[in-house]
Amino acid sequence: MSVTKVHARQIFDSRGNPTVEVDLYTDKGRFRAAVPSGASTGVHEAVELRDGDKANYVGKGVSKAVNNVNTVLGPELIKSGLKVTQQKEIDDLLIKIDGTPNKGKLGANAILGVSIACVEAGAAEKGVPVYQHLAELAGVKPPYVMPCPAFNVINGGSHAGNKLAFQEFMLLPTGATSFTEAMKIGTETYHTLKKVISAKYGIDAVNVGDEGGFAPNVSGAEESLELLTEAISKAGYEGKIKIALDVASSEFYKDGKYDLDFKNPNSDPQKWISGTELADLYLSYVKQYPIVSIEDPFDQDDWEAWTHFTKNSSVQIVGDDLTVTNPLRIKTAIEKKACNGLLLKINQIGTISESIQAAQLAQSDGWGVMVSHRSGETENTIIADLVVALGTGQIKTGAPARSERVAKYNALLRIEGEIKDGVYAGDKGLSAGLTAPALLKI
């Protein structure tokens, strides 16, 4: 069954910024996809095409990307006569039409909208759930693996107005026995954390950030880690919850050093630290707290610091800004032994086929793979299907709050209810130093 009509429009993401939505039609009906958008974006990411017209939508309109779907990508896809089940061929066609290495001509946001809509249509054509269709495209056989969620519950960095340099502090219910139980553990601990923060910092400290986490006025990472430890203990889940960090350190890398006071315009350059000193700080936290994963510990081009840290660490070191879901960057990271984990963001690369390829390349070197949302999200839930399809066992899609985040968790609850014989990943999706995730060995 091929595509009969494609129509894109401008809608809004969870931050009130314009984004692209695509409706794709076949004889089976209408299939809809919406595209997310990031705030702390890596310089090596595929291009999100914005209008740049400051008089409208603060320059963030996407009418050019929408127009590219309606006048270029849609008509070419219809003309090709490709079946909606031919995902790889469709994605290759979209890439070829754009013709640039970073999708800069037509926009990764335009291309991804069409790519996701095709996945939805392809699943309907086969009469199977989206996760099953994606698993078949990726060559992954059942039993399906339900992921361990990584709940971003304390925000700093570019996502928050406090002094905290590190961007995300996450709770991972690795000790749960099912995804349903992981949600119970995560939500109960989230509510407990809310009470702990409210008692210490006041009621306005529990306003939520872009991803549903809290942004209390903490002085630094240790204070945040202490809050998490207290909440885990008070909720009664010691030993069942591990901690993950997303440092997003490219945001505070200056002149070859790291400025942990980067939000202060009068920050003292004498106090900026080297990559090695920052690595030692992380290692001290890993000793003291149940930290199992650290994302973007160093700047996206500070390869030396990454390699040094990965060699000396026993946890999962995740590349996000470093690798930007791009097979070429992942290959370099594999060669340099720069990390042992991939953050998979579909809009960093711009098609579903390339996202699958990126995950499999990372797994071929024994990495963990964490499927991820963006800070500007929509109600689209394709990443829930993708993480189950790939069987990587890890997903981060915000705190258990705000509907655009919870939509993904609810989709996963439905999938778990449907698959019956699925297994819950727990900590088996995590790599640890030189040890590959247990899931890869099954």
Side-chain angles (χ1 to χ4, degrees):
M1 191 78 66
S2 39
V3 178
T4 55
K5 180 183 164 189
V6 180
H7 177 69
R9 66 178 65 83
Q10 176 173 290
I11 60 163
F12 290 88
D13 71 14
S14 56
R15 279 203 290 254
N17 290 325
T19 190
V20 179
E21 181 171 80
V22 175
D23 287 349
L24 182 145
Y25 295 80
T26 71
D27 290 349
K28 282 265 186 348
R30 185 207 73 205
F31 304 94
R32 179 168 285 168
V35 179
S37 169
S40 65
T41 50
V43 293
H44 305 288
E45 292 192 21
V47 174
E48 178 181 74
L49 189 62
R50 297 274 181 188
D51 297 344
D53 168 12
K54 293 283 186 255
N56 291 292
Y57 303 107
V58 208
K60 294 194 172 185
V62 290
S63 63
K64 288 177 184 169
V66 165
N67 190 52
N68 288 340
V69 175
N70 290 334
T71 63
V72 183
L73 295 169
E76 288 292 332
L77 179 57
I78 293 164
K79 198 168 86 183
S80 74
L82 286 167
K83 292 190 176 70
V84 284
T85 49
Q86 294 176 276
Q87 189 68 34
K88 179 79 171 73
E89 290 82 354
I90 287 170
D91 288 339
D92 285 347
L93 174 71
L94 302 175
I95 293 163
K96 189 177 159 201
I97 298 165
D98 175 82
T100 66
N102 63 355
K103 302 179 177 67
K105 185 180 169 194
L106 301 176
N109 43 348
I111 291 167
L112 181 61
V114 178
S115 184
I116 298 171
C118 284
V119 170
E120 300 280 347
E125 182 59 31
K126 284 157 68 174
V128 300
V130 175
Y131 61 85
Q132 185 180 330
H133 174 46
L134 283 167
E136 286 162 4
L137 290 173
V140 176
K141 304 271 189 293
Y144 296 108
V145 177
M146 293 304 300
C148 175
F151 298 109
N152 172 17
V153 293
I154 293 182
N155 301 165
S158 288
H159 291 180
N162 53 16
K163 289 183 185 137
L164 193 55
F166 296 5
Q167 189 167 279
E168 297 175 17
F169 292 75
M170 291 169 272
L171 299 173
L172 282 66
T174 52
T177 54
S178 65
F179 184 77
T180 302
E181 192 194 356
M183 288 304 298
K184 178 178 189 286
I185 292 172
T187 51
E188 288 178 6
T189 309
Y190 178 72
H191 293 303
T192 306
L193 177 65
K194 185 174 184 175
K195 284 186 188 137
V196 168
I197 291 173
S198 192
K200 278 195 176 154
Y201 304 93
I203 194 73
D204 58 348
V206 289
N207 291 336
V208 299
D210 287 350
E211 299 179 1
F214 307 118
N217 199 17
V218 289
S219 57
E222 277 164 74
E223 208 174 318
S224 304
L225 290 163
E226 285 297 331
L227 286 172
L228 291 188
T229 310
E230 186 182 336
I232 291 167
S233 168
K234 282 190 167 157
Y237 290 120
E238 268 181 300
K240 285 198 168 186
I241 296 178
K242 302 295 186 202
I243 294 170
L245 309 176
D246 172 10
V247 183
S249 59
S250 292
E251 303 284 318
F252 55 84
Y253 185 63
K254 300 175 181 173
D255 307 326
K257 293 277 180 96
Y258 294 90
D259 175 15
L260 297 177
D261 191 25
F262 80 105
K263 295 188 210 174
N264 171 6
N266 304 313
S267 140
D268 179 2
Q270 299 299 312
K271 292 186 176 162
W272 300 358
I273 60 176
S274 69
T276 311
E277 289 169 309
L278 187 55
D280 290 342
L281 186 65
Y282 296 140
L283 292 170
S284 73
Y285 291 155
V286 170
K287 272 202 186 95
Q288 209 176 336
Y289 302 98
I291 295 169
V292 290
S293 181
I294 302 176
E295 181 187 328
D296 279 349
F298 307 101
D299 178 72
Q300 55 213 355
D301 291 312
D302 191 2
W303 291 99
E304 206 177 302
W306 281 87
T307 303
H308 164 81
F309 186 47
T310 299
K311 191 169 75 184
N312 292 294
S313 144
S314 60
V315 298
Q316 176 173 269
I317 312 298
V318 179
D320 173 19
D321 290 346
L322 182 80
T323 41
V324 293
T325 314
N326 185 320
L328 295 173
R329 295 278 300 180
I330 296 165
K331 275 189 185 122
T332 307
I334 288 172
E335 283 156 17
K336 292 182 185 284
K337 297 185 166 46
C339 57
N340 58 15
L342 175 72
L343 199 75
L344 185 66
K345 288 174 169 170
I346 55 176
N347 81 321
Q348 281 183 332
I349 189 67
T351 66
I352 295 296
S353 299
E354 288 169 293
S355 301
I356 292 170
Q357 184 198 348
Q360 293 179 335
L361 176 60
Q363 287 176 312
S364 73
D365 195 52
W367 292 17
V369 176
M370 186 183 277
V371 173
S372 171
H373 64 160
R374 297 307 302 251
S375 50
E377 263 298 336
T378 72
E379 53 276 35
N380 182 277
T381 58
I382 191 78
I383 62 169
D385 291 283
L386 186 62
V387 72
V388 173
L390 294 174
T392 65
Q394 303 182 63
I395 188 169
K396 75 164 186 175
T397 180
R402 300 187 50 137
S403 291
E404 77 281 358
R405 313 292 149 189
V406 179
K408 282 70 161 167
Y409 295 129
N410 286 342
L412 285 162
L413 287 169
R414 291 180 203 113
I415 292 170
E416 183 169 67
E418 206 174 284
I419 57 181
K420 304 297 183 224
D421 62 343
V423 293
Y424 175 64
D427 62 2
K428 293 188 178 70
L430 294 155
S431 59
L434 299 173
T435 311
L439 280 177
L440 280 182
K441 301 169 193 166
I442 291 169

